[in-house]
Amino acid sequence: MKGPVVQIEGVHKIHRRGPESIDVLKGVDLTVPEGEFLALMGPSGSGKTTLLNLMAGIDSPTSGRIVVHGRDISRFNEDQLAAWRTRNIGYIFQAYNLVPVLTAYENVELPLLLLRLPSKRRHEQVMNALEAVGLADRRRHLPSQLSGGQEQRVAIARALAPDPPLLLGDEPTGNLDRDSAGAVLGLIGILCRELGKTFVMVTHDPKAAEAADRVARMEKGLLLEDRAGAL
Amino acid sequence: MNWLRYTVHALTRAPLRPSLAVLAVALAVALFCAVSAVDRGLDLMLATGARSDVLVVFDRFQSCPPLSKLPEAHRGALEGMEGVRDVTAELFVISSCSRVTDLVAVYGIEPGKVRSFRDIDLPESEFAAFSSERGAALVGRRAATRYGWKVGQTVSLERLGGLTFTVRGIFTSKTEGLESAILVDLAYLQIATSQPGKVTLCHVRLADPENGGALAVAIDRHFANSKSPTRTASERAFMDAAVSSIAGLVEFTSLLGYGALGLVVAGVGNSLSMSIRDRTREIAILKTLGFRRPQVLRLMLSEAFICGAAGGAIGVAAAWVLIRATHFELSVEGFSFAPALSPSLLLEAMILSVVLATAAGLPAALRVARLRVVEALREVD
Ligand SMILES: Nc1ncnc2c1ncn2[C@@H]1O[C@H](COP(=O)(O)OP(=O)(O)OP(=O)(O)O)[C@@H](O)[C@H]1O
Ligand SMILES: [Mg+2]
């Protein structure tokens, strides 16, 4: 195994809503080595999305350390996190990943606009990412003109385009039929192996978890088992 | 792809709501231009149309000057008064005395005096042809354009009882409103309209311009016990009185203008805040990708900016076409004026539209720029 890409140590997350406070994460430790495809499973409300959002730097922990690629992002402020996300994280949501008024090409180009690349270089990166997911010929299509599986593949291309070390997916195949889900997972597996990306995916689908190198299980804000291999 | 293209796509690929906003802005800007143009036209009339060395003598008992009737004999009496240098009489025939838009105003004038009392400009030969022929007319440039009249053409005005004249000249004038008028010989108009010996008013040129107030009082006293008492004041005073009679209307229309601008704010603000609410998800995605507050703010405000610019351009163009094409004209108690739609007014409307639209978008844009990604994502799920 290579060195860890994600190191989570003693992370607590308390959501406050008015006088109420919900203890969502109650001391989570997790290490994800480079190049691993990790599936995060567990019942609804167990805190999977919350944990993923912390790794993505779109949310901050109440206490504990989150080190990604050697940097403790739990200390970053909002602007630092934003700039860091562009280069370090590719996030794929369950659905509605794409900006509906932009074409596949323009969607993939979005994060690159933040990197001030020369336009030729930007174009190459967009086309490479679209080719990696097999949708270069659909680049001029709007999201409404693509199937659900194709939309998710464009979302993967967009996540890949800035070449981040860590990809995160919150039930990325949750809205897809079995065949499309299989194709998307197969693609993710290949990308991890060939491009050396690390991928953490939340899923409810045991079948989807089979594609992963390892499955971690959450329950009531705690990481219960941390089991290598498929179920 | 750059920022502007993103914004343009956002507007053109989901065009319904932005089109409505642009339409609202266009309507408001057109209204604002029209109302301001009327306001400025009125100011222009006051600035150019009134002379201080000339008194106007009207019928005391007619509050509406065009309905005023004086015996032509008053002219002779006025000529004999001390402090008077020159006098001319005029008879007005106007299709209506109320505030109408498409009015036909015919002035019966004394050809020998008209050029010293009225600011009209035309070729000498045309004026000579006019003076030497009864039934000839001089037509203001605006009237000629509006009705398509040419020199040499004979015209019969049905609305004025079939008054017939031959156009012998077309004049320009710096006096607001005069260019819309038709000038014919006084005696000819008196006969044609069956008002022999009647005039509407007399213009009195003062020997001493400082003496206007005293002379006006003297004139009215002189005629006080005659069959036709008079009301005399400087032209400026008459115009001010006429304009003040529509002060309420002017105030109302300028309120309308500001209301229209309020419409810009409301329209764009509402459209943008609804469009942003619909796009909470999209903005959460942008933020996840690393877009920061100022960048989101810029994207959203550029949409408002474009709506303001597009609506402003359409509104300004619409106002221009409307006012130019219709030769729209207003008359206040016999003084007529056209809305003054200057390039500077159009520019001002354009700038206001863009600034107001952008400002109107600001609250919604700020709200969305501050949005926390995690909350936004949960809201939609
Ligand atoms: N911003 C928040 N404010 C208040 N409570 C929150 C917030 N985010 C999450 N929670 C609560 O935290 C708990 C865990 O939520 P989370 O979304 O992480 O669960 P999950 O494991 O992803 O569930 P699911 O499988 O349904 O997606 C839930 O009880 C949820 O209601
Ligand atoms: Mg979840």
Side-chain angles (χ1 to χ4, degrees):
Chain A
M1 251 334 141
K2 298 164 207 164
V5 167
V6 182
Q7 257 181 301
I8 294 174
E9 293 166 15
V11 161
H12 286 256
K13 179 68 186 179
I14 298 170
H15 279 301
R16 289 207 171 77
R17 196 180 279 159
E20 243 180 295
S21 60
I22 312 166
D23 228 349
V24 182
L25 298 180
K26 302 165 183 168
V28 172
D29 300 294
L30 174 68
T31 303
V32 186
E34 191 180 337
E36 186 176 63
F37 180 0
L38 171 71
L40 207 53
M41 296 191 75
S44 188
S46 57
K48 305 182 295 295
T49 298
T50 304
L51 184 60
L52 206 67
N53 288 348
L54 292 177
M55 287 186 230
I58 55 178
D59 202 358
S60 299
T62 309
S63 66
R65 263 160 52 91
I66 298 173
V67 181
V68 179
H69 229 49
R71 303 190 68 182
D72 185 354
I73 62 166
S74 46
R75 294 169 191 282
F76 284 8
N77 66 27
E78 199 182 312
D79 278 355
Q80 287 173 315
L81 278 175
W84 175 83
R85 283 200 295 274
T86 310
R87 289 180 186 280
N88 291 278
I89 297 293
Y91 203 126
I92 303 150
F93 299 103
Q94 178 172 350
Y96 310 112
N97 268 294
L98 304 181
V99 176
V101 294
L102 299 182
T103 61
Y105 184 99
E106 290 159 350
N107 263 286
V108 174
E109 196 182 22
L110 271 179
L112 302 179
L113 292 177
L114 297 168
L115 295 181
R116 300 176 188 280
L117 298 173
S119 62
K120 189 161 167 285
R121 175 87 190 286
R122 200 164 73 210
H123 174 73
E124 281 168 12
Q125 274 181 248
V126 174
M127 289 313 292
N128 287 346
L130 280 169
E131 267 155 26
V133 300
L135 286 176
D137 57 331
R138 297 296 202 115
R139 63 184 177 279
R140 292 198 182 86
H141 291 225
L142 290 171
S144 57
Q145 298 164 325
L146 299 171
S147 73
Q150 287 168 338
E151 274 191 62
Q152 288 307 73
R153 278 151 67 196
V154 173
I156 293 171
R158 186 178 63 198
L160 284 174
D163 198 26
L166 180 59
L167 300 180
L168 304 171
D170 196 350
E171 302 184 49
T173 59
N175 272 25
L176 301 182
D177 61 54
R178 199 153 275 282
D179 286 348
S180 311
V184 165
L185 287 168
L187 178 64
I188 289 171
I190 291 169
L191 293 173
C192 285
R193 256 169 274 126
E194 290 192 352
L195 303 174
K197 302 292 179 200
T198 308
F199 195 99
V200 178
M201 173 181 77
V202 169
T203 183
H204 280 288
D205 180 8
K207 196 97 177 122
E210 276 177 23
D213 301 325
R214 181 166 66 119
V215 177
R217 181 169 294 276
M218 287 207 72
E219 205 144 317
K220 292 181 181 151
L222 289 169
L223 212 49
L224 283 191
E225 319 162 41
D226 192 344
R227 191 159 27 128
L231 275 176
Chain B
M1 186 175 68
N2 56 30
W3 303 102
L4 198 63
R5 270 177 58 204
Y6 181 105
T7 307
V8 169
H9 289 333
L11 292 171
T12 55
R13 288 180 185 160
L16 181 63
R17 198 169 281 150
S19 318
L20 290 177
V22 167
L23 212 65
V25 173
L27 209 68
V29 167
L31 203 61
F32 174 78
C33 286
V35 165
S36 307
V38 167
D39 235 23
R40 288 177 193 204
L42 203 58
D43 289 347
L44 203 64
M45 175 180 85
L46 287 176
T48 61
R51 294 155 297 179
S52 56
D53 67 334
V54 172
L55 294 180
V56 188
V57 184
F58 275 118
D59 180 346
R60 161 156 285 173
F61 300 118
Q62 278 301 342
S63 61
C64 175
L67 296 182
S68 156
K69 286 289 173 286
L70 294 174
E72 196 176 343
H74 272 27
R75 180 184 45 196
L78 287 166
E79 274 166 351
M81 288 182 72
E82 203 166 322
V84 172
R85 207 172 78 196
D86 199 4
V87 181
T88 189
E90 289 183 357
L91 174 63
F92 294 176
V93 186
I94 284 179
S95 53
S96 163
C97 185
S98 61
R99 291 157 203 125
V100 287
T101 52
D102 185 37
L103 82 154
V104 182
V106 183
Y107 295 10
I109 48 91
E110 298 176 284
K113 297 216 170 152
V114 68
R115 285 194 293 184
S116 75
F117 280 92
R118 292 285 188 182
D119 158 48
I120 61 172
D121 193 26
L122 76 164
E124 196 51 49
S125 61
E126 289 186 3
F127 188 77
F130 165 69
S131 321
S132 62
E133 178 188 347
R134 269 171 81 87
L138 294 179
V139 171
R141 185 188 51 87
R142 216 196 301 268
T145 322
R146 185 180 345 172
Y147 301 110
W149 291 336
K150 302 272 175 302
V151 173
Q153 189 175 346
T154 300
V155 176
S156 180
L157 291 180
E158 295 301 328
R159 283 158 76 181
L160 292 172
L163 175 71
T164 303
F165 54 82
T166 305
V167 179
R168 286 301 171 210
I170 293 173
F171 65 86
T172 59
S173 172
K174 288 194 205 56
T175 307
E176 186 61 30
L178 197 59
E179 283 195 352
S180 306
I182 300 155
L183 310 184
V184 298
D185 179 64
L186 172 63
Y188 179 71
L189 189 63
Q190 285 172 332
I191 292 162
T193 58
S194 316
Q195 312 178 72
K198 292 286 177 198
V199 300
T200 300
L201 57 80
C202 292
H203 286 295
V204 175
R205 169 149 293 118
L206 302 165
D208 172 12
E210 303 297 313
N211 193 31
L215 188 59
V217 171
I219 290 172
D220 288 346
R221 192 176 299 144
H222 179 90
F223 292 110
N225 295 318
S226 78
K227 271 192 188 156
S228 297
T230 57
R231 181 165 59 106
T232 305
S234 71
E235 199 171 49
R236 174 74 202 213
F238 269 106
M239 231 178 233
D240 282 344
V243 169
S244 79
S245 77
I246 58 157
L249 185 74
V250 170
E251 206 166 290
F252 173 72
T253 53
S254 27
L255 264 179
L256 209 64
Y258 289 114
L261 292 181
L263 202 65
V264 173
V265 178
V268 175
N270 183 49
S271 154
L272 199 67
S273 73
M274 294 208 304
S275 120
I276 283 171
R277 204 172 309 139
D278 286 357
R279 284 155 62 197
T280 307
R281 173 91 198 177
E282 176 179 329
I283 288 148
I285 290 169
L286 293 181
K287 290 197 151 194
T288 304
L289 292 175
F291 281 68
R292 275 172 280 157
R293 282 183 193 190
Q295 292 163 330
V296 173
L297 198 65
R298 182 165 59 176
L299 279 181
M300 296 301 125
L301 283 185
S302 58
E303 288 189 20
F305 182 93
I306 289 177
C307 283
I314 294 172
V316 158
W320 195 83
V321 167
L322 205 77
I323 287 179
R324 287 296 146 102
T326 58
H327 300 287
F328 189 73
E329 201 148 299
L330 290 151
S331 139
V332 188
E333 300 191 356
F335 300 106
S336 75
F337 67 97
L341 201 61
S342 61
S344 75
L345 173 60
L346 298 183
L347 186 69
E348 188 183 313
M350 190 71 206
I351 291 171
L352 266 176
S353 163
V354 168
V355 169
L356 283 179
T358 309
L362 196 60
L366 272 176
R367 190 161 8 98
V368 81
R370 291 204 196 101
L371 199 72
R372 291 192 59 231
V373 185
V374 189
E375 307 295 337
L377 290 173
R378 277 171 58 83
E379 227 170 80
V380 192
D381 287 343

